[in-house]
Amino acid sequence: MAPTLPSSDQASDQDNWDNGRLARKRQLLIEIVLRNRLTALVVDGDTTCRVLEQLLLRSYGVQTQGVDNGRDAVALIASGVKFDLIIIDMILPVLNGLEATRQIRDMGVHCKMLGVTICSGESERQAFLAAGVDVFIEKPLDPEHLVPILRELDGQ
Amino acid sequence: MLGLAADRLRADMNRLLSFLFHQGILDEQFLQLQQLQDETSPNFVSEVVNIYFHESEKLLRNLRSLLMDREFSDYNKMGIHLNQFMGSSSSIGAKRIRNVCLAFRAASDQNNRAGCLSALEVLEHEYCFLKNKLHELFQIQQQRVLAAGVRYPMQH
């Protein structure tokens, strides 16, 4: 059936025209309350993605820092700054995400690492997991993937 | 009278959003963006989208510059730009642009210069269309805010 625009008489349909998906996502965005102050590092070369990922984390009360390349991420970790969670893109300027992940793990860092990328195949997924990320997610980062991870880190 | 104007603006906004979703121009990720907007960050969506526009125009210029170079052969660099464009487009819910980037990347992976040029034309067109529609959406939202302010004047 071809999609039709809601008529002006169907005010309730217009207000909820996404068939409940809006309500469900709203629920996901507010349902988690963290007991502990978690910290996260977002490593993404794209400004839009990095800003959005940090804002999503902050909406849950997670304290965040962001860097736009793999070399700065490694340097920050090497300086002794600790995070509960690192979200890292596979494709990064200067030092790519795979190599940055390996170097971070080689430093003995055991925090949760979440690898993200766009439109990848199984080989990329396996390579990222082999480099040391714990979880691999296709962009965009969304509450359905993030909330269970935050709950786990919070000990819920 | 003012109530009718506000209702008309809300209907216009919902109609435009419904169109953008039904045509596959936007997807659910745009809803998530709206859910991150609250009274502490009332212009959040337009601010993030403006970051996206700024970064996207740089990427489009880079892509065109690469393809206009007669000596061009660095498809790897093109792939990096496209991955970035796909990632940021996915993050704000720009579904159609993401899909055009996917087709563009397929041509790039095959070192198909003619295919890349054709895909770039489509990408530039789709980007302009999205930008115009989102500007229209933000204008309606601003008018709603102004209409609400006139309807409920500040009490001194």
Side-chain angles (χ1 to χ4, degrees):
Chain A
M1 188 173 79
T4 55
L5 293 175
S7 73
S8 56
D9 293 337
Q10 297 168 2
S12 61
D13 286 347
Q14 282 186 349
D15 289 339
N16 197 25
W17 53 269
D18 66 330
N19 299 320
R21 286 177 293 179
L22 177 61
R24 189 166 65 87
K25 284 197 179 277
R26 184 183 292 131
Q27 190 182 10
L28 275 171
L29 277 169
I30 63 172
E31 70 174 296
I32 181 174
V33 177
L34 297 177
R35 291 189 290 243
N36 303 294
R37 175 59 70 95
L38 297 179
T39 57
L41 173 65
V42 174
V43 190
D44 200 312
D46 180 73
T47 307
T48 311
C49 292
R50 193 173 63 252
V51 164
L52 278 174
E53 285 164 4
Q54 286 189 264
L55 278 161
L56 181 60
L57 287 160
R58 283 178 194 164
S59 73
Y60 293 115
V62 179
Q63 217 170 350
T64 75
Q65 279 190 49
V67 293
D68 66 2
N69 67 78
R71 182 190 60 193
D72 286 355
V74 172
L76 184 60
I77 301 294
S79 73
V81 181
K82 296 200 187 315
F83 298 97
D84 298 297
L85 173 66
I86 298 174
I87 297 176
I88 182 164
D89 192 1
M90 181 182 273
I91 298 175
L92 293 169
V94 187
L95 183 70
N96 70 60
L98 291 177
E99 185 54 34
T101 301
R102 281 190 208 105
Q103 290 188 22
I104 289 169
R105 287 304 194 203
D106 284 347
M107 283 190 256
V109 171
H110 299 296
C111 73
K112 193 84 164 181
M113 288 188 76
L114 175 55
V116 293
T117 195
I118 187 78
C119 295
S120 60
E122 183 61 23
S123 60
E124 283 95 345
R125 179 177 171 277
Q126 292 299 333
F128 218 170
L129 290 168
V133 299
D134 299 293
V135 183
F136 176 93
I137 289 177
E138 285 275 341
K139 282 184 178 182
L141 182 65
D142 66 1
E144 287 176 79
H145 289 101
L146 185 59
V147 165
I149 292 172
L150 293 179
R151 281 210 170 108
E152 181 195 329
L153 290 172
D154 195 42
Q156 294 184 17
Chain B
M1 290 294 288
L2 291 170
L4 285 174
D7 287 345
R8 195 183 65 242
L9 285 169
R10 188 177 72 167
D12 287 345
M13 188 184 77
N14 284 337
R15 196 174 299 118
L16 178 54
L17 276 172
S18 187
F19 167 77
L20 291 171
F21 274 75
H22 283 162
Q23 294 298 310
I25 295 161
L26 292 178
D27 65 20
E28 287 181 5
Q29 186 65 18
F30 191 76
L31 298 178
Q32 183 176 301
L33 236 67
Q34 293 185 310
Q35 287 309 300
L36 287 172
Q37 183 163 286
D38 59 20
E39 51 277 357
T40 62
S41 53
N43 300 314
F44 165 73
V45 177
S46 62
E47 285 169 3
V48 169
V49 170
N50 281 330
I51 292 173
Y52 170 74
F53 288 154
H54 179 74
E55 297 296 309
S56 297
E57 281 159 30
K58 276 198 290 189
L59 287 169
L60 283 169
R61 280 196 297 273
N62 289 343
L63 287 166
R64 186 155 279 280
S65 175
L66 281 174
L67 280 168
M68 290 299 108
D69 180 359
R70 277 191 209 167
E71 309 294 323
F72 167 70
S73 63
D74 196 350
Y75 286 95
N76 186 50
K77 195 169 188 178
M78 181 171 292
I80 291 172
H81 288 323
L82 287 170
N83 273 345
Q84 192 174 334
F85 209 160
M86 274 195 288
S88 57
S89 300
S90 283
S91 295
I92 70 148
K95 179 180 173 185
R96 192 184 278 183
I97 287 185
R98 176 194 171 279
N99 290 341
V100 173
C101 285
L102 203 56
F104 194 154
R105 195 175 77 170
S108 175
D109 288 346
Q110 291 162 10
N111 292 6
N112 177 356
R113 189 172 177 178
C116 287
L117 273 165
S118 177
L120 178 60
E121 300 281 344
V122 175
L123 187 57
E124 286 169 338
H125 170 80
E126 288 295 338
Y127 171 76
C128 282
F129 184 78
L130 175 70
K131 188 174 179 182
N132 287 339
K133 287 298 173 192
L134 288 180
H135 274 319
E136 192 181 326
L137 180 70
F138 297 144
Q139 273 175 353
I140 296 172
Q141 287 176 338
Q142 263 191 323
Q143 285 165 7
R144 284 187 73 196
V145 169
L146 288 171
V150 170
R151 196 176 169 188
Y152 302 106
M154 291 287 289
Q155 300 292 328
H156 294 287

